[in-house]
Amino acid sequence: MFCVAPPELDTKMNITKGGLVLFSANSNSSCMELSKKIAERLGVEMGKVQVYQEPNRETRVQIQESVRGKDVFIIQTVSKDVNTTIMELLIMVYACKTSCAKSIIGVIPYFPYSKQCKMRKRGSIVSKLLASMMCKAGLTHLITMDLHQKEIQGFFNIPVDNLRASPFLLQYIQEEIPDYRNAVIVAKSPASAKRAQSFAERLRLGIAVIHGEAQDAESDLVDGRHSPPMVRSVAAIHPSLEIPMLIPKEKPPITVVGDVGGRIAIIVDDIIDDVDTFLAAAETLKERGAYKIFVMATHGLLSSDAPRLIEESAIDEVVVTNTIPHEIQKLQCPKIKTVDISMILSEAIRRIHNGESMSYLFRNIGLDD
């Protein structure tokens, strides 16, 4: 595992006032590695709690130490069983609330259901529902990382600190890719262009954007709010009123805007889950002359057979952070590398607990980052 440590931060940050309790809400032991790293950096012991599933699959939480009047930080790493993960968090938050905790801060590096943050057809904005449930349960503050859409912060009526993993990924590029000066930052779709531009400007590199029929960007999905009227109600529309129809989209043949010939291509995104679009992008870049292909993402969900597909693909390396545990996937695919982000999470916890400013963790971050 690759771990970066900016010189401004100490490797151990055990300068905390009393009254801090650190819990892990996971019943899955594989999801507790990040919690242990954060506790080690803060110089505190993990709080005593039992989280387990009843035989009927109900979640039970038993807090085994006093939290009265204390700042409670609940670290919840999303497992493959997302819905169980959410229930574990909600029940633990509510248990701390009813036990008279002074404040309850959720540390959720990857916010689940973040892709469902827009109205799609006749669905619902699930991330808004989840935010409401967390606030209702008793959460008083949220620490997360690289939300899929920054506007999700507006779904909460509590403070939200949306940290960034890009400094760690940028440092990985500079230290682990020897000839990165010959690289170009690639957006696999126009929707990822802002993130790619941010990486390119910080590394002083060029940018390329893939556009065309092989892509399936979220922005192309209809929201269902322009359904045509039923036939029997057409007569109710005034005969002289003609509502203009929006011309349907038609994607052009796949093109790469920017030169990647003889260069290292670094594809950047926030989430890598279904890898089909990344594989298609890698094939396109190979055809255009890129001789090495890296994929950088904050959250490595890597669902189903993603490790096998990556191993068999033209991608040379996939770099993700440990916001989500993926040790099993790494055993299946040696191309997957991990960057440790426990340092910035532990520093955020320390600053919030001590009442210090969080602005240090958001230096040089613009509105588009």
Side-chain angles (χ1 to χ4, degrees):
M1 179 179 291
F2 180 82
C3 177
V4 292
E8 297 90 344
L9 299 179
D10 294 326
T11 56
K12 289 239 180 176
M13 293 171 286
N14 54 353
I15 311 171
T16 57
K17 300 176 183 177
L20 180 149
V21 181
L22 201 65
F23 286 131
S24 175
N26 285 108
S27 59
N28 188 344
S29 58
S30 66
C31 296
M32 296 180 65
E33 291 302 317
L34 182 59
S35 304
K36 292 175 182 176
K37 288 178 181 292
I38 292 173
E40 183 180 350
R41 290 186 180 279
L42 288 169
V44 299
E45 296 290 332
M46 290 297 300
K48 297 176 183 177
V49 64
Q50 277 191 334
V51 184
Y52 58 94
Q53 308 297 317
E54 297 278 13
N56 63 356
R57 301 298 297 163
E58 288 184 359
T59 299
R60 185 175 291 272
V61 173
Q62 292 182 345
I63 297 174
Q64 299 176 323
E65 63 179 86
S66 174
V67 297
R68 183 180 294 272
K70 296 182 179 179
D71 293 332
V72 178
F73 291 84
I74 301 175
I75 304 170
Q76 182 65 319
T77 308
V78 177
S79 65
K80 295 299 180 185
D81 190 351
V82 179
N83 297 326
T84 298
T85 299
I86 293 169
M87 284 306 300
E88 290 170 347
L89 174 66
L90 294 175
I91 294 172
M92 182 172 286
V93 169
Y94 189 65
C96 292
K97 178 183 177 182
T98 54
S99 298
C100 301
K102 177 184 175 184
S103 61
I104 306 167
I105 299 93
V107 183
I108 311 172
Y110 170 66
F111 188 75
Y113 286 98
S114 59
K115 284 190 174 182
Q116 298 189 47
C117 60
K118 296 180 181 179
M119 183 64 74
R120 301 296 187 204
K121 297 184 179 179
R122 290 171 182 81
S124 60
I125 306 176
V126 182
S127 54
K128 165 62 176 173
L129 170 65
L130 188 53
S132 301
M133 291 166 64
M134 289 181 180
C135 295
K136 187 67 175 177
L139 209 64
T140 60
H141 198 134
L142 176 67
I143 301 172
T144 187
M145 179 166 282
D146 281 336
L147 288 169
H148 187 55
Q149 297 289 341
K150 293 189 291 294
E151 292 76 13
I152 293 175
Q153 296 174 80
F155 295 161
F156 292 85
N157 55 13
I158 58 174
V160 177
D161 287 310
N162 182 27
L163 303 175
R164 305 297 196 276
S166 52
F168 296 88
L169 296 175
L170 289 168
Q171 189 167 354
Y172 184 95
I173 293 172
Q174 292 173 319
E175 295 184 358
E176 299 298 312
I177 305 178
D179 47 352
Y180 81 93
R181 287 293 179 190
N182 187 36
V184 60
I185 306 298
V186 180
K188 68 180 179 66
S189 69
S192 308
K194 280 188 177 180
R195 180 178 295 270
Q197 181 183 357
S198 174
F199 272 69
E201 289 175 352
R202 283 170 167 78
L203 292 168
R204 278 61 171 174
L205 299 176
I207 184 174
V209 180
I210 299 175
H211 178 54
E213 59 187 7
Q215 305 302 316
D216 186 20
E218 285 185 34
S219 57
D220 293 340
L221 301 178
V222 297
D223 63 7
R225 287 173 289 186
H226 58 280
S227 301
M230 296 175 66
V231 175
R232 63 174 178 271
S233 64
V234 174
I237 302 176
H238 195 278
S240 63
L241 181 63
E242 293 186 5
I243 301 175
M245 298 295 292
L246 189 64
I247 299 172
K249 290 183 179 180
E250 183 176 340
K251 291 184 179 180
I254 192 163
T255 56
V256 178
V257 182
D259 181 23
V260 298
R263 313 282 287 277
I264 299 172
I266 304 175
I267 305 171
V268 296
D269 213 335
D270 63 328
I271 299 172
I272 176 167
D273 185 7
D274 180 12
V275 297
D276 290 343
T277 54
F278 290 93
L279 302 184
E283 289 296 331
T284 301
L285 294 170
K286 277 289 186 184
E287 292 171 3
R288 300 300 194 280
Y291 72 91
K292 262 189 181 179
I293 299 171
F294 291 80
V295 175
M296 299 272 174
T298 303
H299 309 296
L301 276 69
L302 302 169
S303 301
S304 59
D305 56 349
R308 179 183 61 81
L309 294 174
I310 292 170
E311 185 65 26
E312 297 171 356
S313 72
I315 297 172
D316 292 282
E317 196 169 284
V318 173
V319 183
V320 293
T321 71
N322 57 342
T323 56
I324 296 171
H326 47 261
E327 294 305 315
I328 296 175
Q329 290 89 330
K330 287 176 69 175
L331 294 175
Q332 298 171 341
C333 177
K335 292 182 179 180
I336 300 172
K337 308 295 180 185
T338 308
V339 173
D340 180 24
I341 45 80
S342 62
M343 176 171 291
I344 193 170
L345 292 174
S346 54
E347 177 65 7
I349 291 171
R350 189 192 67 81
R351 286 175 177 269
I352 290 172
H353 175 61
N354 291 342
E356 299 176 19
S357 171
M358 294 286 286
S359 60
Y360 176 82
L361 303 180
F362 293 94
R363 294 168 302 161
N364 303 322
I365 293 178
L367 291 175
D368 294 332
D369 291 329

